[in-house]
Amino acid sequence: MSLAAAMSLDLRPGLFYRDARLHCLNLLLTYPGGCRANCSYCGLSRDASSNGAENFIRVEWPCFSMDEILTRTLARADRFERICLSMIMHSSAVEDTIELIGRIHGEVDLPVSVLVNPSTLQDGDLVAFYDAGADMAAVAIDAATENLFVEHRGEGVRGGHKWDRYWNTLEDAALTFGDGNTGVHLIAGLGETEQEMIGAIQRAHLLGSRTHLFSFYPERGSSLGNAVPCSAGHFRRIQLARFLIDCNIAIANQMEFDDLGRLSSFGIRGAKLDAIVESGDPFMTSGCPGRTLSCACNRPFGDGPPSDIRSYPFRLEDDDIQLVRKQLATYMDVSRPLESIIAPG
C-alpha cells in the first residue's frame, strides 16, 4: 500500500503536511520479481534499480497481508470513502485481482476501484472485475500521444504495452462499468504539448471517462530518474482545461493554442473563468469519487513535494489561489497575460 495509506491505517508513523487527509485506500498487487513491464518513468519497471521497493509515486510502498489490511480498515472505515486496487503486469494479476476485489467488496462497506493492466487482460476479465464488486475501473494510458507511448511504454523501452490496446480497453471498460464510471490516468511532462494532452483528455471524455491527471516526477532508479518535471505553468493550464472538459463547461476545439501548442484561450473567459479559478477546484487532485467527495482518491503529494504542490489534496487557500494564477500565466520562455485569470475581475 502507499505510505499515505499505511499512515492512515496506523501501520507507519508520520504526519501529513497542512493536515492533509487520505480519502482512498490505495492498494497495489506485488510479486517476487516485480512488474514485467518496463515503463521509463516508473519505479516498478523491470529495469528499475529500486524495483519499486523504496520509490513509486514518490514514496515507499510497504507490504502487508490482506488480513491485516482488512482488519485495520474495518476499524477505521470512517477515514475512507473508497478503496483502489491496482494491477501490475504479471501472469497471476488477473486471477488475484478478481479474488481480492471479491474479498474487499464482501468484507468492507466501501466502493472499490480497479486500475487494470490491459496487456494482461482477456475477454471477459472486465466483466469479472465488475461482477466481483468493483464499481469503477481505470486505465493508466499515461502518455498523451502514440509516439510518446511507444517511446516510454512500448518498443522504445522494450516494453510490452500497445497504444491501441490501452484505448480499446478504456472503451470496453466504459461499456462494462457505465458512463462516468471509468477513468484514464494521464501524466503531464513526458514530452507532450498542452494541445496534445488536452486532445487526449477530450478523447477520454467522449468515451464517458474522467481524467485522473498526474504531473511527472522523476522516480529514483527509473530510466527517467534524472529527468526534469514539466513547468508548473504547463501543468496548471492542463489542469484547468481538464476541469472544463470533464465538467462539460468547454471542449477542446473551442480552446486556442499558439504555434508551440500552448494554451492561449480556454474557450470561456471573463468572470466565468475567474470564478472557476477562484474556486480552486481545477487544481485539486482528480480521481475516482467517494460517497460524499467528488474525488476520493486524493493521493497527498503524489506528484510533487509540499514545496511544489502540483495536485492539491485539500481545499486551496487564498495564497494558493494567487500562486496558481501566476503559474497559469507563466510560460517556459515568456510571461504574458492569459485572459483574465491573473487577478479576479
Side-chain angles (χ1 to χ4, degrees):
M1 67 177 68
S2 68
L3 179 60
M7 289 167 56
S8 298
L9 290 181
D10 301 318
L11 289 165
R12 285 285 189 273
L15 297 173
F16 288 104
Y17 176 68
R18 287 175 59 174
D19 202 31
R21 290 290 182 268
L22 179 72
H23 303 300
C24 177
L25 188 65
N26 302 109
L27 307 178
L28 177 71
L29 289 172
T30 187
Y31 300 91
C35 184
R36 302 297 190 259
N38 205 36
C39 303
S40 65
Y41 47 85
C42 183
L44 296 175
S45 63
R46 188 177 66 240
D47 288 349
S49 59
S50 67
N51 200 26
E54 298 180 352
N55 191 62
F56 175 54
I57 316 181
R58 295 193 61 250
V59 298
E60 174 193 3
W61 283 68
C63 294
F64 301 93
S65 71
M66 184 56 69
D67 287 340
E68 184 168 22
I69 291 170
L70 291 176
T71 297
R72 286 180 175 260
T73 302
L74 284 167
R76 299 160 179 81
D78 59 340
R79 299 183 182 183
F80 305 105
E81 294 215 359
R82 177 169 289 278
I83 295 177
C84 181
L85 181 65
S86 297
M87 301 172 63
I88 64 173
M89 191 170 177
H90 191 278
S91 59
S92 299
V94 171
E95 180 181 353
D96 293 338
T97 298
I98 295 169
E99 177 184 347
L100 291 176
I101 291 172
R103 188 170 176 193
I104 294 168
H105 179 67
E107 298 186 33
V108 181
D109 186 22
L110 287 170
V112 181
S113 295
V114 57
L115 179 61
V116 307
N117 182 287
S119 299
T120 59
L121 297 186
Q122 298 181 2
D123 289 345
D125 288 339
L126 289 170
V127 174
F129 296 155
Y130 180 82
D131 289 343
D135 73 320
M136 293 201 70
V139 179
I141 295 177
D142 292 349
T145 70
E146 183 172 7
N147 286 342
L148 289 172
F149 187 98
V150 171
E151 177 184 351
H152 293 289
R153 311 202 69 190
E155 295 176 2
V157 289
R158 297 175 292 109
H161 299 319
K162 303 293 185 183
W163 171 260
D164 287 341
R165 184 165 187 169
Y166 267 66
W167 278 102
N168 290 340
T169 298
L170 183 64
E171 185 173 1
D172 291 342
L175 293 173
T176 301
F177 287 81
D179 188 40
N181 294 321
T182 57
V184 58
H185 288 196
L186 292 170
I187 301 175
L190 294 179
E192 76 290 333
T193 66
E194 293 166 23
Q195 186 170 14
E196 288 169 338
M197 180 60 78
I198 289 164
I201 292 168
Q202 184 69 63
R203 179 177 178 180
H205 183 71
L206 291 173
L207 294 176
S209 294
R210 306 163 180 258
T211 291
H212 306 168
L213 190 63
F214 297 74
S215 181
F216 165 75
Y217 190 88
E219 296 188 4
R220 294 189 308 273
S222 70
S223 297
L224 295 185
N226 295 318
V228 178
C230 66
S231 69
H234 179 80
F235 189 60
R236 294 291 178 228
R237 289 186 289 275
I238 292 172
Q239 278 184 307
L240 182 50
R242 192 281 315 166
F243 182 86
L244 297 176
I245 291 170
D246 276 0
C247 293
N248 294 307
I249 299 170
I251 59 177
N253 67 11
Q254 293 174 329
M255 300 178 186
E256 297 176 7
F257 304 86
D258 66 15
D259 55 2
L260 296 179
R262 301 176 304 188
L263 262 164
S264 57
S265 172
F266 291 93
I268 63 169
R269 61 190 71 239
K272 184 176 182 180
L273 184 60
D274 276 334
I276 292 170
V277 173
E278 188 67 21
S279 74
D281 292 342
F283 314 106
M284 295 176 67
T285 311
S286 54
C288 292
R291 286 176 170 161
T292 68
L293 297 171
S294 59
C295 174
C297 189
N298 61 330
R299 307 181 297 275
F301 317 111
D303 54 3
S307 60
D308 182 20
I309 301 175
R310 296 299 175 97
S311 301
Y312 285 85
F314 40 64
R315 304 297 314 179
L316 279 71
E317 299 178 354
D318 289 345
D319 288 348
D320 300 319
I321 298 293
Q322 294 310 310
L323 174 61
V324 163
R325 287 183 182 277
K326 293 177 182 178
Q327 292 171 334
L328 277 166
T330 302
Y331 292 77
M332 288 294 291
D333 56 355
V334 63
S335 295
R336 55 180 173 149
L338 184 62
E339 297 187 346
S340 59
I341 56 180
I342 296 178

